[in-house]
Amino acid sequence: MTTKETVRESLLGSRATPQLSRQARATFERHAKKDKETGELYMTEDDFVDAIAPRGEDYHKIKREQYGILFRVADRRNLGKVSMQDWGTFENLLTKADAEYEIAFRLFDLDGTGSVKYEDFMRLYNLNKGAGNIPFDWNCEWASLYIGGRKRRHDMTYPQFSQMLRGLQGERIRQAFHFFDKDGDGYIDPQDFQRIILETAKHKLSDHILDNLQTLCNISAGTKISYANVRAFQNVIREMDLIDLILRNATTKSGDGKITRTDFLNEAARITRFSLFTPMEADILFHFAGMDEPSGRLALADFAKVVDASWQNAYIMGEEAGEAAATAAAKALSTTKAILHRMAESAHHFALGSVAGAFGAFVVYPIDLVKTRLQNQRSARVGELLYKNSIDCASKVVRNEGIRGLYSGVIPQLIGVAPEKAIKLTVNDLIREKFTDKKTGRIWWGWEVLAGGCAGGSQVIFTNPLEIVKIRLQVQGEALKSSENAPRRSAMWIVKNLGILGLYRGASACLARDVPFSAIYFPTYNHLKRDYFGESPNKRLGILQLLTAGAIAGMPAAYLTTPFDVIKTRLQVEARKGETKYRNLRHCAATVFKEEGIKAFFKGGPARVLRSSPQFGFTLAAYEVLQHLVPMPGTAAARPDARGYAEPSVGLQEARAPLPFLRSRNALKIILDIDQDFGKIKAPAGKSWLGLPKLTSKGMVEAA
C-alpha cells in the first residue's frame, strides 16, 4: 500500500471486501459466467435467481421469477450483472438481524444515500404495480404521516421506511374496503372481499383460506361482510406466529389433542399480555380451521390449513403444473426412496416384534400349559379328576415333571408367535386404514370389529399347525406319568404323524376362538388408549398405560372365547384309550355339554385370562425397550408407538431451509405488501429495469 493510500485510508476510512464462506463462493462459481474480455466471473439475473431460489423448491404463493427483485439489490452498480464482490456483499446483508427490511429499503434507495426519496419510491411503485389492481391513494392522510403532504414531501430514513411498510397492508385493505363500499353502509359483497385479500395478502395465506374467503360472511347473520370482519381477519393474519404458539400449548394440554374456541381464548389469556384476541378473531380462526370438523373440537392438523402458509390443496392448479412437471423426476426418485425406507422400516418392526412377541409368550407360557391341562380333563367325577384347580395343576406338574415340565412345547410356541403377531397386526391395520375417515381420523365401531375379526381369522392358517403341536407336547407329560411304557414324542414326530390335514385338525374351532377374540380385543384396546388414557398425536402413552390397556382389553376377549378354546383343545389333543374321540366341532360341543355340563366350557378360563392379558403387556413393554436399544438406522428422532408404527408429524414444523433463503423469501413478502405484481416485469438481458435511474460513467443520473 502506498503512502498516499495509507493517508487516505487513515482520513477517510476503508471498506474491506466481504469475505465469502466456502459454501457461498462455491455457489457463486457454480452459477456464474466468465466475461470473455476481462475473465471476471459474473451472474446475470437468471443466474442470480437460480443461485438464491433453486428450482424444485416450494416458493408458496411467490412466483420464482419475482426473486429477480433481489438482483436489483445485489447489483449495486446497475450494470445488469453481479460480480463476486457484489455477491459477497449480498450474502453479508442476509446475515443481518433485520435483513428483510434492509433489503426492501435498499431496493428503493436508488442512489445509495441512506434515505428513500418520494419520487424514486413512486417511480418504482408505478413501474411494478399491476394493471387493473385496486387503486391506492398515496396522497391520503395515512401516507402523508410518513412521506409528508403534497407540498412538503420529505425523504424517509431506514427506520421510517420500515415502519411505513409495517402498516402498509392494513391501509391498503382499509382503502380497498372503501373502494367497494359504494353506498357507505359498512358492508361489502363476499366476492369483493375475496378480491381485496387476493391482491393484498395472497402471498401470506394458504390455499385453504384463499379458496374459502367468501365463506367469511357465514360467521355472522346476513350475506355480506362488514368492516369489522375484514379488520378481524387482517389481525388474524398479522398474529399467525402468536396463534401458532397458543395452539401448540393448548393442544398439548388437551387430553385428546383437540381444543375448542374457549380453550383457545383461555390459553391466549395465559400467554399474551397486550395482544388479546377478540371473540370475532377467534370465530374467524375456528371458522376456517373447522370447515371439515363441525364438532368445534379441532386438532393441530386442522389449524395447519390456516396457520401454515405453505399448506396446499391436493390438486395442482394450472400455472403450478409447469413447475410440477419440472420436478417430477426428483419427486419420483424421492418416492422410490420413501418406499424402500418403508420396506426397511417394516422389516425392522417385524424383527423387533418377533423378539418382543417371543419374550411375552415365554413369560406366560407356564400359565398356558396349566390352562391346556385343565381344559383337557375329560371327566367331571371327583374321583377321576387329575387336577382340582390351576394352582393344584401347576404344583403337580412341577412335582412330577420338574420346572422344565412347565415349558413343554415352548419351542413351537416361540416359533409361531412372531408370524402370528405380524399377520394379526398387519391385517388389522390395513383394514382399519381402509375404513378410517382421512379427515377426522375416526372409524365406525363396526369396521373396527370387522378389522379385528379378519385379523384373527388370517392368523389361523399359520398358527393352527403350531397350536396342535404345542398342545400335544403340553399334555404329553400326563401320559408319561400314568404309563411308564408311553413313548416321549418330539415335535417333528408329531408333525410327521399328523400330516398336512392332521395339522389343521380343530381349525374350525381355532377360527371360532380367534375371530371373536381379535374382534373384541383390538377395538377395546384402541378405545382404551384413545378414550380412557387420552392417546393422541400430541400425547404418547407410557409403558405402564400401554400395559394396562393391553391387559384390560385381553380380559373380556380371553374369557368370553374360552368355550371355543376348550373345544379346540379337545379336538387337537390325541384321545387316550377309553376316551371319547370327537369327530368335529359340533360333535365335540354336544358331547362335552352332555357328559360334563356347561361349566366344562369355561375350564381354564381364569388361567386363560391370566395368560392372554399379561402376554400382550409384556410384549408391548419389551417392544418399547427394544426400540430404545435398537433404533431404526437414520431415525433416532422418530419413536414408534406401541404397535411399531412411527407417529407422523402433525401441524406446523420449524423451517429447515437455509436462513439466507428464508430471509430472501421474507424480504419478498414485505415488498409484495406494496403490490402483488412487484417484480413480474422482466428487464431485457444485461440491462437494469426499464425506467429505473442508472449511473453513467460520469456519475450523472439518466434513465436506463
Side-chain angles (χ1 to χ4, degrees):
M1 182 181 293
T2 64
T3 304
K4 182 178 179 180
E5 290 173 338
T6 303
V7 172
R8 181 177 180 180
E9 181 178 317
S10 300
L11 296 174
L12 303 178
S14 64
R15 176 177 295 180
T17 302
Q19 297 298 312
L20 281 173
S21 66
R22 183 178 301 176
Q23 182 179 359
R25 182 181 294 275
T27 301
F28 178 83
E29 292 175 348
R30 186 167 61 252
H31 295 91
K33 297 180 174 66
K34 181 177 288 188
D35 191 304
K36 295 180 180 179
E37 297 180 1
T38 64
E40 180 186 10
L41 292 176
Y42 71 94
M43 288 194 298
T44 62
E45 182 176 333
D46 290 336
D47 300 329
F48 181 85
V49 172
D50 287 339
I52 66 170
R55 297 181 186 275
E57 294 287 344
D58 179 15
Y59 297 104
H60 305 169
K61 306 300 181 294
I62 302 175
K63 300 302 179 185
R64 184 172 172 272
E65 61 266 21
Q66 290 181 290
Y67 280 78
I69 297 173
L70 305 182
F71 177 78
R72 174 67 179 83
V73 177
D75 182 17
R76 299 174 300 158
R77 296 170 292 172
N78 292 320
L79 298 177
K81 60 183 180 181
V82 168
S83 66
M84 183 176 288
Q85 184 177 356
D86 296 331
W87 174 256
T89 302
F90 183 77
E91 284 280 321
N92 182 259
L93 172 61
L94 290 176
T95 64
K96 291 190 173 184
D98 56 347
E100 295 86 349
Y101 279 101
E102 188 159 343
I103 287 173
F105 177 76
R106 291 193 182 190
L107 178 67
F108 289 93
D109 181 15
L110 299 179
D111 55 8
T113 60
S115 62
V116 173
K117 294 181 174 60
Y118 171 75
E119 295 79 9
D120 293 341
F121 176 81
M122 291 306 301
R123 188 182 304 130
L124 196 53
Y125 168 76
N126 289 324
L127 176 66
N128 284 276
K129 71 177 182 178
N133 284 358
I134 301 171
F136 183 80
D137 181 14
W138 285 100
N139 293 314
C140 67
E141 184 178 352
W142 177 89
S144 66
L145 296 174
Y146 291 97
I147 60 179
R150 293 191 181 190
K151 297 181 179 180
R152 305 192 64 174
R153 302 294 190 195
H154 61 76
D155 300 345
M156 286 182 285
T157 63
Y158 172 53
Q160 292 170 342
F161 181 78
S162 302
Q163 204 60 44
M164 183 200 72
L165 292 183
R166 173 74 168 160
L168 179 59
Q169 186 183 64
E171 178 62 16
R172 288 188 65 199
I173 292 175
R174 188 191 69 81
Q175 288 193 24
F177 186 91
H178 279 298
F179 179 79
F180 288 110
D181 183 19
K182 303 297 184 182
D183 54 7
D185 64 350
Y187 290 91
I188 60 174
D189 292 328
Q191 58 268 27
D192 294 332
F193 168 72
Q194 184 177 36
R195 183 182 171 188
I196 291 173
I197 299 304
L198 289 175
E199 288 193 20
T200 60
K202 179 181 178 181
H203 56 291
K204 294 181 177 179
L205 302 177
S206 68
D207 282 354
H208 176 74
I209 292 182
L210 295 176
D211 290 345
N212 295 283
L213 285 171
Q214 295 188 34
T215 66
L216 184 63
C217 62
N218 294 334
I219 71 168
S220 57
T223 58
K224 290 198 170 187
I225 296 174
S226 69
Y227 183 66
N229 296 146
V230 176
R231 205 66 183 176
F233 181 85
Q234 185 206 354
N235 290 344
V236 171
I237 296 174
R238 286 174 61 96
E239 300 294 344
M240 283 298 191
D241 293 322
L242 178 58
I243 289 173
D244 180 27
L245 174 62
I246 295 170
L247 292 173
R248 286 179 181 277
N249 282 17
T251 52
T252 301
K253 295 176 182 178
S254 172
D256 60 356
K258 295 186 176 183
I259 61 171
T260 63
R261 175 181 176 276
T262 301
D263 297 328
F264 171 80
L265 289 173
N266 288 340
E267 187 62 28
R270 295 187 186 98
I271 292 179
T272 61
R273 296 181 181 179
F274 305 105
S275 300
L276 297 179
F277 288 91
T278 67
M280 184 177 288
E281 290 164 3
D283 288 341
I284 288 174
L285 174 63
F286 273 75
H287 166 72
F288 285 106
M291 298 189 74
D292 298 324
E293 182 53 66
S295 68
R297 289 187 58 80
L298 307 181
L300 202 57
D302 298 312
F303 292 107
K305 297 180 294 186
V306 178
V307 184
D308 188 357
S310 65
W311 194 93
Q312 296 179 338
N313 287 320
Y315 56 88
I316 300 176
M317 300 301 289
E319 58 187 4
E320 294 176 348
E323 293 183 12
T327 58
K331 288 184 177 180
L333 179 61
S334 176
T335 302
T336 302
K337 290 181 178 179
I339 293 173
L340 293 175
H341 178 76
R342 284 196 294 269
M343 292 175 62
E345 195 174 35
S346 298
H348 177 258
H349 293 329
F350 184 89
L352 297 188
S354 300
V355 176
F359 173 76
F362 185 82
V363 170
V364 301
Y365 190 80
I367 302 175
D368 185 59
L369 181 134
V370 170
K371 181 265 305 180
T372 302
R373 294 279 181 97
L374 287 171
Q375 289 178 341
N376 191 48
Q377 289 195 124
R378 295 296 186 97
S379 178
R381 287 174 294 190
V382 178
E384 297 183 14
L385 279 178
L386 186 58
Y387 309 117
K388 298 177 182 178
N389 50 47
S390 298
I391 297 176
D392 180 56
C393 177
S395 62
K396 287 181 177 178
V397 169
V398 173
R399 184 169 62 249
N400 297 329
E401 305 170 44
I403 295 296
R404 294 181 62 181
L406 293 174
Y407 287 92
S408 299
V410 71
I411 300 300
Q413 172 75 347
L414 297 183
I415 293 174
V417 73
E420 174 195 343
K421 294 292 183 291
I423 293 170
K424 184 184 294 186
L425 289 171
T426 301
V427 172
N428 178 67
D429 285 335
L430 284 175
I431 298 178
R432 283 182 67 92
E433 183 180 0
K434 176 69 176 177
F435 293 106
T436 297
D437 190 308
K438 301 300 185 295
K439 294 180 179 179
T440 63
R442 294 284 181 173
I443 181 174
W444 179 51
W445 68 268
W447 297 129
E448 288 187 292
V449 173
L450 175 65
C454 291
S458 65
Q459 73 180 34
V460 173
I461 191 173
F462 191 83
T463 57
N464 196 84
L466 295 165
E467 282 271 322
I468 194 171
V469 173
K470 179 198 73 171
I471 287 174
R472 294 201 173 192
L473 289 172
Q474 285 178 331
V475 300
Q476 182 173 238
E478 295 175 350
L480 292 173
K481 180 64 179 176
S482 60
S483 175
E484 295 181 357
N485 297 325
R488 180 178 290 276
R489 307 297 189 186
S490 66
M492 290 303 300
W493 185 92
I494 295 173
V495 171
K496 291 179 180 179
N497 185 62
L498 287 172
I500 297 296
L501 294 178
L503 287 173
Y504 284 94
R505 179 178 175 84
S508 56
C510 197
L511 275 170
R513 178 199 66 175
D514 289 346
V515 170
F517 178 91
S518 296
I520 296 171
Y521 180 83
F522 280 109
T524 306
Y525 178 61
N526 283 290
H527 279 279
L528 281 170
K529 289 196 302 177
R530 186 182 67 222
D531 300 332
Y532 185 78
F533 292 106
E535 184 184 48
S536 71
N538 300 297
K539 180 183 178 181
R540 186 185 299 277
L541 300 184
I543 294 177
L544 182 60
Q545 292 169 310
L546 293 172
L547 285 171
T548 306
I552 294 175
M555 289 177 183
Y559 194 79
L560 293 175
T561 56
T562 298
F564 298 108
D565 194 50
V566 170
I567 294 171
K568 179 190 74 68
T569 300
R570 296 289 182 91
L571 287 171
Q572 292 180 337
V573 172
E574 186 177 7
R576 299 178 193 142
K577 187 176 181 180
E579 292 181 338
T580 304
K581 188 172 182 178
Y582 305 116
R583 296 191 298 271
N584 50 47
L585 188 151
R586 180 178 295 180
H587 176 253
C588 179
T591 303
V592 170
F593 180 75
K594 181 180 179 181
E595 295 180 353
E596 304 173 51
I598 192 68
K599 289 184 178 181
F601 288 106
F602 289 91
K603 285 182 177 181
R608 181 167 160 76
V609 170
L610 289 174
R611 184 212 64 161
S612 297
S613 296
Q615 180 177 357
F616 275 92
F618 283 120
T619 299
L620 294 174
Y623 190 87
E624 289 290 333
V625 172
L626 287 171
Q627 281 295 326
H628 289 288
L629 296 177
V630 192
M632 174 74 179
T635 58
R639 186 167 166 247
D641 66 12
R643 297 176 301 162
Y645 294 96
E647 183 180 281
S649 298
V650 180
L652 292 176
Q653 301 296 314
E654 179 181 333
R656 303 185 186 277
L659 192 58
F661 167 74
L662 295 175
R663 284 199 157 137
S664 298
R665 189 179 68 193
N666 291 339
L668 285 176
K669 287 183 178 181
I670 293 172
I671 294 169
L672 294 182
D673 280 348
I674 302 173
D675 194 282
Q676 281 286 317
D677 292 321
F678 230 92
K680 288 186 178 179
I681 300 176
K682 286 280 280 188
K687 294 186 178 181
S688 179
W689 286 344
L690 189 63
L692 292 184
K694 182 176 179 181
L695 290 174
T696 66
S697 58
K698 298 180 181 179
M700 302 295 291
V701 178
E702 63 179 19

